[in-house]
Amino acid sequence: MAKITRIAPELPAANLPASVEYYERNLGFRVAMQMPAGDYAIIERDGVSIHLFQDVSEKNGGVRHSPVGVHIFTSDLDALYAEFRQSGAQLTQGIERKPWGNRDFRLHDLSGNELKFTEPLEDD
């Protein structure tokens, strides 16, 4: 059977340049690629890629895309939370233990997309 090895979600950005700056300054991502027209960018951190696209209503029939949610897994949730808190990221939930067996915290980017940073818990 074929193996799925990676995922790179595409997230809408109301203001792509401002979103790229937020991901770099507040979340520690770096730009891997930007389209010359300035309507698409790929940002990366620690082997995780997020694709951002300029959400321009003229290009999608006058309707903006809804914000999306993405789970991003980490092995050191506390350190990542402290880093993002220090950098001024838009944290929307502190670290919580979830009933499905993970701890996570959540934040929003400038376009309202929710990033859920998750750490699986060891079996009790």
Side-chain angles (χ1 to χ4, degrees):
M1 178 182 287
K3 181 179 177 184
I4 297 174
T5 60
R6 227 176 123 174
I7 186 170
E10 282 188 318
L11 306 182
N15 180 327
L16 187 61
S19 291
V20 167
E21 182 180 334
Y22 176 79
Y23 276 86
E24 287 181 314
R25 182 185 64 244
N26 298 96
L27 305 182
F29 282 77
R30 67 170 184 77
V31 175
M33 188 279 299
Q34 286 187 327
M35 294 300 291
D39 59 351
Y40 198 91
I42 299 172
I43 54 171
E44 296 179 338
R45 177 179 173 162
D46 304 326
V48 171
S49 295
I50 296 176
H51 296 224
L52 299 171
F53 65 92
Q54 180 64 52
D55 193 10
V56 179
S57 37
E58 296 83 45
K59 290 186 177 182
N60 60 22
V63 177
R64 290 216 178 267
H65 290 85
S66 296
V68 299
V70 177
H71 284 272
I72 301 172
F73 291 84
T74 181
S75 60
D76 196 348
L77 194 71
D78 296 295
L80 195 59
Y81 180 79
E83 175 188 333
F84 290 166
R85 190 168 178 206
Q86 177 73 26
S87 73
Q90 296 179 19
L91 297 164
T92 59
Q93 174 201 296
I95 295 175
E96 292 182 7
R97 182 180 179 137
K98 299 298 183 180
W100 49 86
N102 293 329
R103 292 184 336 135
D104 76 17
F105 70 87
R106 296 164 187 222
L107 61 85
H108 284 160
D109 70 10
L110 297 180
S111 299
N113 297 302
E114 185 174 55
L115 304 181
K116 305 167 189 180
F117 291 89
T118 303
E119 179 182 64
L121 289 172
E122 299 288 326
D123 290 334
D124 291 330

